[in-house]
């Protein structure tokens, strides 16, 4: 092993926790879940990806390295610390990097965010947007939005780059302009994801992106056991997005799952 590779492997080992091998479980429910075969389905070669298979330690290490590939600055780390103190879950570094990339890909000038948190995802979105782009971010907790304001300021973003709207997303979104947004990022109440999708389709211009964070729900979305209502909503969201003729979807395995779709 080359010395340089040895140092890289040691760095990845320090970044990632030691996890036991994981399995994609065989499904026990009648019929398919999110397109995966159930026990009564005939498994064809094309469906073999739904069968049980081991996630190797090497793959876990690769995912950990990919998630930490884009370094985060002091302002982002500060926002993460405030979120942790408030008991909030922030998007992972890999998810943040994907959001930055997606915002840059659509050359976003107007982005709507459901779930400000303490500003971690908003910082990534603003970094990917055009220099004159404006992020409209909605959250029911004004105190969290104050932390986000401080984090945005620490990153050097002008105050007019973000519009903070306190309130419940489903009360705020109907007041936003039809076809006025290039990207809608949804990281709010999982029980409301189908309503977020309907509002996003109205808000987005053709060619715009809707993005949902956390759709794998720590593996529960594809788990065969009984699940709470919020996980059942995520499964319905995945089916709806995949089957919609108005969307071009992709499910990215970063963080806790990033569901992306382009509006035709």
């Amino acid at each position: 092993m080359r010395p340089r590779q040895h140092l890289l492997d040691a760095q990845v080992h320090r970044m990632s926790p030691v996890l036991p091998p994981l399995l994609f479980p065989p499904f026990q429910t009648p019929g398919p879940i999110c397109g995966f075969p159930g026990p009564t389905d005939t498994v064809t070669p094309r469906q073999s990806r739904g069968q049980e298979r081991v996630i190797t330690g090497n793959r876990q290490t690769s995912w950990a390295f990919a998630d930490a590939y884009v370094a985060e600055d002091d302002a982002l780390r500060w926002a993460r610390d405030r979120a942790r103190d408030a008991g909030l879950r922030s998007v992972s570094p890999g998810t943040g990097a994907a959001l930055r990339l997606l915002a840059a890909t659509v050359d976003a000038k107007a982005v709507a965010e459901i779930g400000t948190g303490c500003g971690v995802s908003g910082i990534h979105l603003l970094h990917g947007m055009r220099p004159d782009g404006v992020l409209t971010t909605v959250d029911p907790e004004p105190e969290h939005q104050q932390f986000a304001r401080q984090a945005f300021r620490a990153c050097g973003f002008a105050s007019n780059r973000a519009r903070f709207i306190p309130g419940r997303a489903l009360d705020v979104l109907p007041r936003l302009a039809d076809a006025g947004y290039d990207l809608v990022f949804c990281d709010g109440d999982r029980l409301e994801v189908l309503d977020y999708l309907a509002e996003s389709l109205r808000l987005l211009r053709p060619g715009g992106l809707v993005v949902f964070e956390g759709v794998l729900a720590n593996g529960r979305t594809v788990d065969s056991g009984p699940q709470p209502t919020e996980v059942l909503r995520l499964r319905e969201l995945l089916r709806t997005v995949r089957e919609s003729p108005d969307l071009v979807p992709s499910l990215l395995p970063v963080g806790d799952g990033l569901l992306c779709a382009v509006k035709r």
Side-chain angles (χ1 to χ4, degrees):
M1 181 181 294
R2 291 177 295 179
R4 189 172 182 181
Q5 182 64 40
H6 176 74
L7 291 174
L8 178 60
D9 291 343
Q11 181 183 7
V12 171
H13 179 74
R14 288 194 301 271
M15 289 189 298
S16 59
V18 178
L19 299 173
L22 302 176
L23 296 176
F24 286 117
F27 292 105
Q28 304 295 329
T29 54
I33 296 177
C34 297
F36 293 94
T40 59
D41 297 328
T42 301
V43 179
T44 65
R46 289 188 64 182
Q47 292 175 313
S48 62
R49 70 183 62 186
Q51 294 176 313
E52 185 177 281
R53 56 192 173 94
V54 174
I55 302 176
T56 66
N58 285 340
R59 184 172 295 174
Q60 291 177 35
T61 302
S62 297
W63 285 346
F65 178 76
D67 203 49
Y69 175 67
V70 175
E72 295 192 329
D73 58 21
D74 289 340
L76 271 165
R77 287 190 287 270
W78 182 88
R80 285 192 182 283
D81 289 342
R82 300 294 76 72
R84 189 180 305 110
D85 293 343
L88 299 177
R89 179 182 57 85
S90 300
V91 298
S92 74
T95 299
L99 292 175
R100 189 181 302 206
L101 175 69
L102 292 170
T105 299
V106 296
D107 194 26
K109 184 175 181 180
V111 171
E113 178 184 45
I114 300 170
T116 308
C118 291
V120 175
S121 54
I123 290 172
H124 282 290
L125 288 165
L126 284 165
H127 275 305
M129 295 169 65
R130 291 168 46 169
D132 59 344
V134 175
L135 172 69
T136 298
T137 182
V138 182
D139 197 284
E141 298 293 339
E143 181 181 355
H144 299 160
Q145 291 189 322
Q146 288 302 320
F147 288 130
R149 286 181 192 273
Q150 294 179 52
F152 292 176
R153 191 180 308 119
C155 284
F157 296 118
S159 59
N160 63 357
R161 292 290 311 278
R163 179 170 60 148
F164 294 90
I165 305 178
R168 181 172 170 264
L170 294 182
D171 293 333
V172 174
L173 296 178
R175 307 202 306 261
L176 303 183
D178 292 3
Y181 292 83
D182 305 299
L183 189 153
V184 178
F185 174 56
C186 305
D187 188 17
D189 188 339
R190 287 173 174 169
L191 294 176
E192 298 178 343
V193 289
L194 294 171
D195 296 311
Y196 296 162
L197 176 62
E199 286 294 331
S200 297
L201 291 178
R202 180 185 62 80
L203 294 174
L204 286 171
R205 63 167 175 79
L209 270 168
V210 59
V211 182
F212 288 85
E213 200 277 330
V215 295
L216 296 180
N218 294 316
R220 291 179 297 165
T221 302
V222 294
D223 194 310
S224 61
Q227 297 297 338
T229 303
E230 66 175 29
V231 175
L232 301 182
R233 288 281 193 280
L234 289 173
R235 290 177 178 174
E236 190 173 355
L237 172 72
L238 287 164
R239 293 190 188 100
T240 301
V241 170
R242 183 187 59 194
E243 295 168 5
S244 171
D246 299 321
L247 296 170
V248 181
S250 180
L251 178 56
L252 305 183
V254 296
D256 197 21
L258 200 64
L259 176 63
C260 311
V262 176
K263 179 181 176 180
R264 292 185 184 276

